[in-house]
Amino acid sequence: MRINSVWRRRILWTALLMLLVFLLAMLVWLAGRYEASQEQSRIERATSEAVSDVRADFSRNAQSLQATQFGEPTATSWFLSAYALLRERREIVRLEWRDAAFNLTADVDSPYRSPVFERGGRVISANSELIQNCNNARRYSGPSYASTYYVPLNDGMGVEIMELCMPLVDSGQLTGYLVALYSLHDVLEELLGRHLTRHQEVAFTEGDGTRLAVMGTARRASRVFSAQQLVDLPGTTLVLRMDSWRGSPDLFPNLLTALVATLVIALVSILYQLGKDTRRRLKAERDLADALAFRKAMEDSLITGLRARDLKGRITYVNPAFCQMVGFSADELVGLSVNAPYWPPEFAEEYKRRQDIRLAGNSPPREGFESVFMHRDGTRFPVLIIEAPLINAQGEQTGWMSACLDIREQRRVEEISRASQDRLQATARLAMVGEMASLLSHELNQPLAAIQSYASGSINLLRDEPENRRDIEIAMQRIAQQAERAGKVIKSVHDFVRRRDQTREVVKPQALIDAVLPLVNLQARKLSVQVCLEVAPGLPAVLCDRTMVEQVLLNLARNGMQAMDLPELRQRVLTLSVRGAGARRIEFAVSDVGMGVREDIADQLFTPFFTTKAEGMGLGLSFCRTVAEQHGGTLVHTPNSPQGTVFSFALPVA
Ligand code: ADP
């Protein structure tokens, strides 16, 4: 289709161009022809003027000749008047006065050239041309001209002569003849010479075209214009031929052709410009079509519904996605205003109000607003509408363009994510409960074990009651202390697991040691461990969560003692030391001389539930590190010398 139209256009253009070229060629040719005909008629006019000049001259000369016989002249007086005539008329080369028997009475030669018959002499035979001519003249009773003849001259040149004979009659009696000899070349020169232009040649010719006398430059050129005309004289006929030639062939023979050529150039350049313009237009059209196709493809592939409305609220455009969304075709929707079929009837009033507000020129929120549409089948669904003013190429607003997004799927995903969020929270709570239970069971082991051992000690003491009264009292107090401690541990663990802000208090380092010492000693006795204290004197108080830090010290001490629970180990010493670490921190360290930490498990020590012990829970070190970090430090372990491990952490000075 497109190729066809391209070919059609090409053929049309070619035809137009060919027509134009043909027309222009015709114009140039016609202009040339016109010019040629002008030239031809000019030369024909000149020829006929020349002919009439020649005839007028001949008849005037005949009269002048006649005049020489006026008043019965003698031979001498005739000679004088004939000579005067010859001086005046260069074209006549000789005059003769002959009697009726053709004998010469008087003769005179032109003073302008040597006598014609000087070389050959003048021979007059009985039937010579002269006699025949004069007989003719006698018959006409007037001048008669003879055919021309050539007379060679002394200087090697020659001259073409034409004779005129005039009878002399006196009271009806022939008395003689006057004969004038014309040089044809001089006739041309005298009569026509001054009218002749440089580009012309004039000649007397015979009927067959032989030139008798020529004047002008015989130049050959491509264009020669000729005209010839008969000079009818009594007794003979001459042909006067005039040639005119143009110089070298002209590209622009004359003004008309030049004008035509200019027009041609103008026309061709206009055509060229038109062609260029058409090409530009075609390209613009193609680009526009491409852009339209691109836009259409884009609109059709969009899953966002597009709806355009004019300033009166009438729908002017909907894309396929919009039609699919609401279940109505574009034809059913375009042109509708309020109460569009996709408005749920229950919201129609509200939507109408909203539309009025929009048409009053209020811009909608940039992020869009939510609304509810109704599908053809009656299903309502939520949509997100983003509206923007429609601005045309002149910058004027012509309406509104809305992008409508069906947000059913989004809503569903939100719902799912909310549900899973809830589930996650429940799981997290469960996990927290589990963590708390584990920690509680871990941390409560110690106070409960202590309570148990104090209780069984007390039972033993009760057997010999009176003496042991004091000891039983102490044991009961300890039981009460440990029970209270168990309560605190429960609260602290609860806080710890909920990651609440722990209650910080100012405590002397010694007080912390003192608080854990009874429990440490209790366990040390069981495992035959000697507990050593190294508390630097005069240490400032620290700011910490007291119960938690005590639990850390207890855990570390218990781990240390368990590490030394080796049958071959004789010297079992656990050292609790406290010293300053810089100006702002106090370092607590728990050192043992046990089996040490194997390198391959060093990385995993703090991982929750990592343990190497049969009855271990693997929560102790993870708990200790979290507490150390909550106090702005960290828990580190280094090998002790000669053996064992040192666990240490630092607390901020209060
Ligand atoms: P549990 O004591 O219940 O095993 P912990 O988290 O307190 O859990 O300790 C984890 C592991 O770290 C222990 O099983 C033990 O192998 C190692 N460990 C802890 N303290 C020491 C120590 N002082 N010397 C050697 N190993 C230790």
Side-chain angles (χ1 to χ4, degrees), residues 399-436:
W400 295 92
M401 174 61 90
S402 326
C404 308
L405 269 175
D406 183 347
I407 51 174
R408 261 180 291 196
E409 186 58 19
Q410 189 184 332
R411 280 285 153 80
R412 203 174 64 81
V413 171
E414 277 171 13
E415 202 51 52
I416 291 172
S417 112
R418 198 162 33 245
S420 73
Q421 198 79 31
D422 289 351
R423 266 203 307 281
L424 256 178
Q425 274 173 9
T427 318
R429 270 199 298 278
L430 271 180
M432 202 168 69
V433 169
E435 196 183 347
M436 205 162 88

Side-chain angles (χ1 to χ4, degrees), residues 197-212:
T197 67
R198 274 203 296 137
H199 299 296
Q200 283 174 335
E201 186 188 76
V202 64
F204 281 119
T205 63
E206 283 178 355
D208 61 358
T210 318
R211 285 154 195 260
L212 301 172

Side-chain angles (χ1 to χ4, degrees), residues 433-480:
V433 169
E435 196 183 347
M436 205 162 88
S438 324
L439 263 180
L440 278 180
S441 62
H442 184 264
E443 300 305 320
L444 285 180
N445 267 342
Q446 280 159 319
L448 289 179
I451 288 171
Q452 191 202 3
S453 65
Y454 285 129
S456 52
S458 305
I459 291 166
N460 288 339
L461 288 172
L462 276 175
R463 292 201 186 110
D464 334 294
E465 204 201 325
E467 308 92 81
N468 295 336
R469 213 188 148 79
R470 177 79 198 122
D471 289 343
I472 293 171
E473 223 177 274
I474 292 171
M476 287 303 170
Q477 273 170 7
R478 292 269 161 86
I479 288 175

Side-chain angles (χ1 to χ4, degrees), residues 102-114:
F102 296 105
N103 294 317
L104 204 59
T105 308
D107 69 334
V108 56
D109 282 293
S110 170
Y112 298 111
R113 55 165 71 239
S114 52

